[in-house]
Amino acid sequence: EAGVVQSPRYKIIEKKQPVAFWCNPISGHNTLYWYLQNLGQGPELLIRYENEEAVDDSQLPKDRFSAERLKGVDSTLKIQPAELGDSAVYLCASSLQSMSLEQYFGPGTRLTVT
Amino acid sequence: DQQVKQNSPSLSVQEGRISILNCDYTNSMFDYFLWYKKYPAEGPTFLISISSIKDKNEDGRFTVFLNKSAKHLSLHIVPSQPGDSAVYFCAAKSSGANSKLTFGKGITLSVRP
């Protein structure tokens, strides 16, 4: 069974440029999460989807961040415009349902904003 | 405010000995506690969990202990193996409609051959 797939693995952009990250969860997993992991910190939830519905986006900075999960499968996280402080690893995870203890994480996208 | 705290950034142990990784929390409403393990360039992987109504859960070489009165949990790995070298995140799950995982900063475990 394939794991959570994320692309790109690495991205370097200049500040004020837009950037997008893509995630393909494990087949059959209804719940999808986007996390932000700053250097030396643990993952922090940005947004959680149940199928195509964003059920918790309270931690998503909506002035510059947006996300979508069309058809309840793949998801895209976008930042526009990027700031220096956005440099971090963006992790996608999925689980069978929202109350599952075990979340399956992708390898992440490491973003560097210069 | 950090609700899940891992105060030691690193731990080094000899192969075959016990590794004890500690975690403290502040929110009494957490209903589950989990440990995730992360290798470089990979995402975290689930290791073991414990319900807030239990005080111990064991899975092979891994045992998690929960002390609710002290708001403290620990992960014991025995015997430690070089392949256990990784970053270990303590996490806590809140209950309710907006249930989510809150992670600690992680601790880097190095197991010396």
Side-chain angles (χ1 to χ4, degrees):
Chain A
E1 179 183 84
V4 176
V5 179
Q6 290 188 249
S7 69
R9 292 294 309 275
Y10 304 91
K11 188 73 175 179
I12 301 174
I13 61 170
E14 294 184 347
K15 62 182 180 182
K16 301 185 181 179
Q17 294 301 306
V19 65
F21 314 124
W22 176 79
C23 173
N24 181 241
I26 292 173
S27 177
H29 281 195
N30 295 325
T31 307
L32 183 145
Y33 315 78
W34 282 102
Y35 286 89
L36 164 69
Q37 185 178 13
N38 286 306
L39 187 64
Q41 304 293 318
E44 299 173 44
L45 182 68
L46 288 172
I47 189 168
R48 172 169 63 97
Y49 281 93
E50 293 295 336
N51 298 305
E52 65 274 11
E53 182 183 358
V55 295
D56 184 2
D57 63 355
S58 58
Q59 301 304 309
L60 189 73
K62 298 181 183 63
D63 57 337
R64 298 184 299 108
F65 287 65
S66 64
E68 60 182 10
R69 190 183 184 197
L70 299 176
K71 300 182 181 179
V73 182
D74 295 2
S75 178
T76 303
L77 178 69
K78 298 179 181 178
I79 308 174
Q80 182 171 10
E83 297 178 353
L84 294 176
D86 296 331
S87 296
V89 176
Y90 292 82
L91 293 162
C92 179
S94 69
S95 63
L96 277 171
Q97 51 188 348
S98 62
M99 303 308 292
S100 299
L101 292 177
E102 186 170 358
Q103 296 180 16
Y104 295 80
F105 284 82
T109 296
R110 180 175 295 278
L111 174 67
T112 301
V113 182
T114 64
Chain B
D1 64 331
Q2 216 175 354
Q3 298 188 61
V4 177
K5 302 176 184 179
Q6 295 179 261
N7 294 319
S8 300
S10 63
L11 174 68
S12 181
V13 299
Q14 191 74 36
E15 179 179 7
R17 306 295 290 268
I18 185 171
S19 295
I20 300 177
L21 288 69
N22 294 307
C23 178
D24 298 293
Y25 63 95
T26 58
N27 187 345
S28 300
M29 300 307 293
F30 289 136
D31 59 357
Y32 281 90
F33 301 90
L34 306 90
W35 287 91
Y36 276 77
K37 173 180 176 180
K38 184 183 181 306
Y39 291 118
E42 295 183 12
T45 56
F46 172 79
L47 188 58
I48 192 170
S49 66
I50 186 168
S51 165
S52 60
I53 63 173
K54 303 285 189 182
D55 56 15
K56 177 182 175 181
N57 187 28
E58 187 174 353
D59 183 3
R61 298 186 297 113
F62 303 90
T63 303
V64 57
F65 295 92
L66 176 62
N67 182 334
K68 284 189 69 176
S69 61
K71 293 189 173 68
H72 176 84
L73 64 153
S74 60
L75 174 68
H76 292 213
I77 307 173
V78 57
S80 300
Q81 300 174 354
D84 296 329
S85 297
V87 177
Y88 289 78
F89 291 101
C90 173
K93 177 184 157 307
S94 54
S95 58
N98 283 334
S99 172
K100 69 173 187 178
L101 294 184
T102 300
F103 287 83
K105 290 184 177 183
I107 179 170
T108 300
L109 173 65
S110 299
V111 180
R112 307 183 304 272

